[in-house]
Amino acid sequence: MNKSQAPHPLKQRLGGRNLYLVGMMASGKSSTGRPLAEQLSYGFVDTDAVIEQLAGQPIPKIFSEEGEEGFRAMESQVLSAIGQRHSLVVATGGGMVSKPENWGVLHQGIVIWLNPGREELLRRLHADSSNRPLLQTEDPEATFDCLFAERLPLYTEADLHVEVGVEEPDGIALKIIEFLPQLLSPPVKMNG
Ligand code: S3P
């Protein structure tokens, strides 16, 4: 619930549409999603956390046992189930955008791309890459660049592009709330 305990006026205008946060690994989807959901009195879901809970295993283990394909299949199933629900902020895994069928669900809501930029992403990933199975290669930076180049055109399909600077997640959430009304059609007024 937001600070005043009253629902944010945007909540009504959103009409229950889910907000999907997309972006590369370490772009801050979960840390921004939580305050965003709180401000809007929305629920919060992290697709990676749901997958881990359902599989009863951490993501790296799922990758090693089921392969990337197995993980992607679970990811699509989880997204499809989430798409049946409403009023959620959803932090997605970095690769969610790569399957065309996932866009059928994503486009039912509002898609928000968080982009801290290559250097900042690499800095963050350098500090914590152990949990990222796709980067366990001989040259993680080159692997990252390949993935980023491949996904960039997909991320740009998002409805809202957020260039993340030095702000804290709370500040980014506020910035998103400030811009969201521009994506919503103005209320229709009828003269009686
Ligand atoms: C992935 C990103 C991860 C996780 C999995 C695959 C990717 O999520 O879904 O390791 O393909 O970029 P985060 O984006 O939350 O790190």
Side-chain angles (χ1 to χ4, degrees), residues 10-94:
L10 251 186
K11 187 179 185 195
Q12 199 190 359
R13 286 193 62 199
L14 283 166
R17 257 178 293 178
N18 290 341
L19 304 181
Y20 294 100
L21 298 179
V22 301
M24 286 298 280
M25 351 175 177
S27 55
K29 292 160 291 186
S30 301
S31 51
T32 303
R34 281 193 196 89
L36 181 60
E38 199 182 328
Q39 285 294 324
L40 292 171
S41 309
Y42 256 41
F44 173 75
V45 189
D46 178 329
T47 58
D48 283 345
V50 177
I51 294 167
E52 286 187 326
Q53 214 173 6
L54 288 175
Q57 288 179 325
I59 303 246
K61 192 103 190 287
I62 302 174
F63 267 76
S64 67
E65 292 195 355
E66 314 284 335
E68 181 173 354
E69 225 177 285
F71 173 79
R72 296 291 169 215
M74 287 182 216
E75 190 172 50
S76 295
Q77 277 172 16
V78 163
L79 181 69
S80 162
I82 287 172
Q84 305 295 315
R85 299 174 55 197
H86 64 87
S87 309
L88 293 175
V89 171
V90 185
T92 66

Side-chain angles (χ1 to χ4, degrees), residues 84-146:
Q84 305 295 315
R85 299 174 55 197
H86 64 87
S87 309
L88 293 175
V89 171
V90 185
T92 66
M96 186 67 87
V97 294
S98 20
K99 276 203 161 188
E101 68 253 39
N102 292 346
W103 281 95
V105 177
L106 296 174
H107 274 318
Q108 286 168 29
I110 295 174
V111 185
I112 301 167
W113 173 32
L114 297 187
N115 182 23
R118 177 183 182 276
E119 299 314 313
E120 175 59 15
L121 285 168
L122 283 175
R123 194 188 62 76
R124 293 181 192 180
L125 287 166
H126 202 67
D128 172 29
S129 71
S130 56
N131 218 19
R132 264 89 191 198
L134 286 181
L135 296 184
Q136 307 307 312
T137 63
E138 269 183 28
D139 188 347
E141 199 167 313
T143 309
F144 172 91
D145 282 337
C146 273

